[in-house]
């Protein structure tokens, strides 16, 4: 991270402090899935933390050799920050997916734009890389971002799936990136889906 | 992160999956400070996420040159995991501080011990390094871990300080590590404390 301060140091620091305060709001963005104890739904900030630790734990399963895990972690830490403005778009809600991109682009402009210019660019590049999913690091990050909610839904007995009338075909489709980022974790995903259907957590077939 | 699988790959993966599920409980460990919007107290998982992003944003202010920011981030991501068993010990509660170390050591044994041996050691080393605070990376991590709640208490108008009858001397003492890890952030801490006293958010003097 090479920072090239381009402005008054005081102004730079103030912009950084404003950003740090603004992203506190990610703790208020609620996702569909539930905590393991079933007490409440998860928020984006704790989801991002959980994913970053997953990257540390599952590093050895990244499909492509030499994946820069620090880079994966940074991507995962900031990948949902845009949801402060854009909100959480449920993976299986087709109509909400339609204008998702426009909402998220505007959010990235505003939120990363709070930072000093060089850092705004650095964070935006990380987010773009995650969204475009074309690098080994982004593919591994995407793999984890898909796998974790599957594990959580499984652990809750499929509560969020039933709540939203999701079928196994949709879940299988949604989980394709898991195997693309990690063969081993792809097998974990397959096992979880099959077991979820067998146990009646997840309806077999289409929506 | 060199992993030397020492057991059956299947068993290794199962241990990793169990750890990943276990740490979901960090989302249930509630801290004393409040979200910026005042809606509820913060939990340890979202706190850890916020700190890791702070490390990215404030990297340039680390006191010692060449601080390995990826290492700082990893320490911050796991530094509170032991609170799943040990609970959050309030910084200004002297009696709870007494048996804090024993509770946290037992927690580290159990929770990191869920992982395969090599990873258990890696995570435990990160936590020990954070606790001992003897490396440039640990000093910078500690600096952020102290500064962030100060910022949050300031933003909430000192609610948690008044709730616990905390005085400015205690806060100044508690904030010493901020300046040790980062001169610039130490000045931010001083400014926030002085301003909090002036504005009546924080009582001047001792407890």
């Amino acid at each position: 991270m090479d920072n090239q301060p381009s402005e008054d140091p005081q102004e730079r620091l103030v912009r950084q402090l404003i950003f740090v305060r603004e992203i506190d709001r990610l703790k208020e963005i609620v996702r569909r899935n539930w905590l393991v104890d079933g007490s409440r739904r998860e928020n984006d900030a704790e989801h991002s933390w959980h994913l970053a630790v997953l990257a540390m734990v599952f590093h050895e399963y990244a499909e492509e050799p030499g994946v820069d895990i620090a880079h994966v972690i940074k991507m995962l830490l900031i990948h949902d920050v845009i949801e402060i403005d854009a909100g959480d778009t449920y993976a299986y809600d087709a109509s909400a997916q339609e204008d998702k991109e426009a909402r998220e682009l505007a959010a990235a402009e505003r939120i990363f734009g709070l930072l000093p210019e060089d850092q705004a660019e650095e964070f935006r590049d990380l987010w773009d890389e995650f969204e475009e999913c074309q690098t080994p690091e982004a593919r591994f990050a995407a793999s984890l971002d898909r796998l974790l909610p599957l594990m959580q839904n499984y652990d809750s007995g499929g509560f969020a799936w039933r709540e939203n009338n999701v079928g196994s075909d949709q879940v299988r489709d949604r989980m394709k990136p898991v195997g693309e980022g990690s063969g081993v974790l792809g097998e974990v995903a397959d096992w979880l889906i099959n077991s979820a259907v067998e146990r009646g957590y997840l309806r077999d077939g289409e929506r």
Side-chain angles (χ1 to χ4, degrees), chain A residues 18-198:
Chain A
I18 288 171
F19 176 80
V20 160
R21 184 183 198 275
E22 177 70 14
I23 62 169
D24 197 84
R25 292 174 54 206
L26 198 61
K27 302 165 190 169
E28 298 161 35
I29 308 298
V30 177
R31 295 164 48 81
R32 292 291 175 106
N33 59 283
W34 295 72
L35 299 198
V36 164
D37 75 346
S39 60
R40 59 169 172 82
R41 292 183 200 270
E42 188 185 35
N43 70 60
D44 268 349
E46 54 199 11
H47 164 69
S48 302
W49 164 78
H50 208 164
L51 283 177
V53 182
L54 248 70
M56 291 173 67
V57 173
F58 289 144
H59 181 192
E60 70 203 76
Y61 304 126
E63 198 55 27
E64 283 140 302
V67 157
D68 177 352
I69 205 66
H71 196 74
V72 173
I73 290 172
K74 286 178 184 174
M75 257 189 278
L76 290 170
L77 287 172
I78 63 100
H79 82 292
D80 270 345
V81 161
I82 46 96
E83 295 192 357
I84 288 172
D85 287 356
D88 177 54
T89 307
Y90 187 49
Y92 302 104
D93 179 347
S95 63
Q97 293 288 337
E98 277 173 24
D99 66 335
K100 182 173 179 261
E101 195 181 329
R103 279 183 288 123
E104 294 193 346
L105 280 171
E109 284 295 320
R110 186 189 76 79
I111 300 168
F112 298 136
L114 295 172
L115 283 165
E117 218 171 300
D118 57 305
Q119 290 190 315
E121 201 182 308
E122 180 198 338
F123 279 57
R124 176 60 188 264
D125 285 349
L126 283 169
W127 183 70
D128 285 343
E129 184 182 344
F130 179 83
E131 287 294 308
E132 289 159 11
C133 205
Q134 296 299 318
T135 63
E137 281 75 16
R139 276 191 288 271
F140 187 53
S143 171
L144 301 171
D145 188 39
R146 300 286 165 105
L147 177 65
L148 182 56
L150 173 62
M151 291 173 62
Q152 291 167 320
N153 277 325
Y154 184 88
D155 279 334
S156 74
F159 191 80
W161 289 322
R162 289 200 308 277
E163 207 180 30
N164 296 284
N165 194 26
V166 172
S168 66
D169 291 355
Q170 286 167 281
V171 178
R172 271 184 224 287
D173 195 52
R174 174 86 187 152
M175 291 302 145
K176 270 184 196 148
V178 180
E180 288 161 17
S182 166
V184 171
L185 299 182
E187 284 171 34
V188 172
D190 285 342
W191 186 91
L192 287 169
I193 295 169
N194 291 337
S195 171
V197 170
E198 266 171 42

